[in-house]
Amino acid sequence: DLTFLPDGGRVTARPVYYFVAMSDRGEETPLSRTTQAFTLNAPEARGARPLVLRLRIKLRKGTYVLVANVLDPETGRMGTARANVRVE
Protein backbone atom coordinates (compact mmCIF):
# COMPACT_ATOMS: atom_id res chain seq x y z
CA ASP A 1 0.00 0.00 0.00
CA LEU A 2 1.22 3.47 -0.87
CA THR A 3 0.54 6.52 1.24
CA PHE A 4 -1.33 9.19 -0.73
CA LEU A 5 -1.11 12.72 0.65
CA PRO A 6 -3.50 15.61 -0.09
CA ASP A 7 -2.38 17.67 -3.09
CA GLY A 8 -4.91 20.39 -3.83
CA GLY A 9 -8.19 18.64 -4.64
CA ARG A 10 -6.37 15.39 -5.39
CA VAL A 11 -3.95 13.01 -3.64
CA THR A 12 -0.35 12.13 -4.57
CA ALA A 13 2.01 9.25 -3.71
CA ARG A 14 5.73 9.35 -4.53
CA PRO A 15 7.23 5.85 -4.32
CA VAL A 16 10.99 5.39 -4.69
CA TYR A 17 12.20 2.51 -6.87
CA TYR A 18 15.57 0.76 -6.48
CA PHE A 19 16.80 -1.73 -9.08
CA VAL A 20 19.90 -3.90 -9.47
CA ALA A 21 20.93 -6.89 -11.61
CA MET A 22 23.36 -9.47 -10.16
CA SER A 23 25.09 -12.02 -12.38
CA ASP A 24 26.02 -15.57 -11.49
CA ARG A 25 29.65 -14.39 -11.87
CA GLY A 26 29.26 -12.07 -8.87
CA GLU A 27 28.99 -8.89 -10.96
CA GLU A 28 26.25 -6.37 -10.38
CA THR A 29 24.97 -3.30 -12.16
CA PRO A 30 25.14 0.04 -10.38
CA LEU A 31 22.13 0.56 -8.13
CA SER A 32 19.47 2.56 -9.96
CA ARG A 33 17.15 4.84 -8.02
CA THR A 34 14.16 6.71 -9.40
CA THR A 35 11.01 8.33 -8.05
CA GLN A 36 7.62 8.41 -9.72
CA ALA A 37 4.63 10.52 -8.65
CA PHE A 38 1.06 9.22 -8.85
CA THR A 39 -1.63 11.89 -8.63
CA LEU A 40 -5.23 10.68 -8.48
CA ASN A 41 -8.67 11.85 -7.53
CA ALA A 42 -9.15 10.91 -3.88
CA PRO A 43 -11.77 8.16 -4.50
CA GLU A 44 -9.46 6.43 -7.02
CA ALA A 45 -6.67 6.11 -4.43
CA ARG A 46 -8.75 3.68 -2.37
CA GLY A 47 -8.74 0.96 -5.05
CA ALA A 48 -5.82 -1.37 -5.68
CA ARG A 49 -3.97 -0.86 -8.94
CA PRO A 50 -0.65 -2.11 -10.26
CA LEU A 51 2.48 0.02 -10.35
CA VAL A 52 4.32 0.01 -13.66
CA LEU A 53 7.88 1.24 -14.09
CA ARG A 54 9.74 0.69 -17.34
CA LEU A 55 13.53 0.49 -17.22
CA ARG A 56 16.02 -0.23 -19.95
CA ILE A 57 19.21 -2.03 -18.92
CA LYS A 58 22.08 -3.51 -20.90
CA LEU A 59 23.33 -6.90 -19.76
CA ARG A 60 25.92 -9.24 -21.21
CA LYS A 61 25.07 -12.85 -21.96
CA GLY A 62 24.58 -14.86 -18.81
CA THR A 63 22.29 -15.61 -15.90
CA TYR A 64 21.10 -12.83 -13.61
CA VAL A 65 18.90 -12.15 -10.64
CA LEU A 66 16.97 -8.91 -11.11
CA VAL A 67 15.92 -7.25 -7.86
CA ALA A 68 13.47 -4.35 -7.59
CA ASN A 69 12.46 -2.59 -4.36
CA VAL A 70 9.66 -0.06 -3.97
CA LEU A 71 9.82 2.24 -0.96
CA ASP A 72 6.93 4.26 0.43
CA PRO A 73 8.92 7.18 1.88
CA GLU A 74 6.01 8.26 4.08
CA THR A 75 5.87 5.00 6.06
CA GLY A 76 9.30 3.46 5.38
CA ARG A 77 7.60 0.28 4.15
CA MET A 78 9.34 -1.51 1.29
CA GLY A 79 8.29 -4.26 -1.09
CA THR A 80 10.75 -6.44 -3.00
CA ALA A 81 10.48 -8.52 -6.16
CA ARG A 82 13.11 -10.86 -7.63
CA ALA A 83 13.30 -12.61 -10.97
CA ASN A 84 15.84 -15.02 -12.46
CA VAL A 85 16.63 -14.28 -16.12
CA ARG A 86 19.01 -15.64 -18.72
CA VAL A 87 20.36 -13.39 -21.48
CA GLU A 88 21.23 -15.31 -24.66
Side-chain angles (χ1 to χ4, degrees):
D1 293 332
L2 287 176
T3 303
F4 285 85
L5 299 175
D7 187 4
R10 305 177 85 191
V11 292
T12 299
R14 290 184 173 81
V16 181
Y17 299 89
Y18 298 91
F19 179 82
V20 69
M22 297 174 286
S23 77
D24 60 355
R25 297 178 302 277
E27 303 165 337
E28 62 181 60
T29 61
L31 180 67
S32 297
R33 178 189 183 279
T34 189
T35 302
Q36 184 177 22
F38 293 94
T39 301
L40 305 170
N41 293 321
E44 293 176 36
R46 292 187 194 100
R49 56 178 49 203
L51 293 178
V52 177
L53 177 68
R54 296 181 194 278
L55 297 172
R56 187 175 286 211
I57 60 171
K58 290 184 178 183
L59 299 173
R60 291 188 242 163
K61 291 181 180 182
T63 303
Y64 295 86
V65 175
L66 305 180
V67 181
N69 294 308
V70 181
L71 171 69
D72 180 344
E74 297 302 321
T75 63
R77 292 179 62 192
M78 183 177 285
T80 301
R82 290 183 176 83
N84 296 316
V85 298
R86 176 152 182 81
V87 178
E88 298 290 329

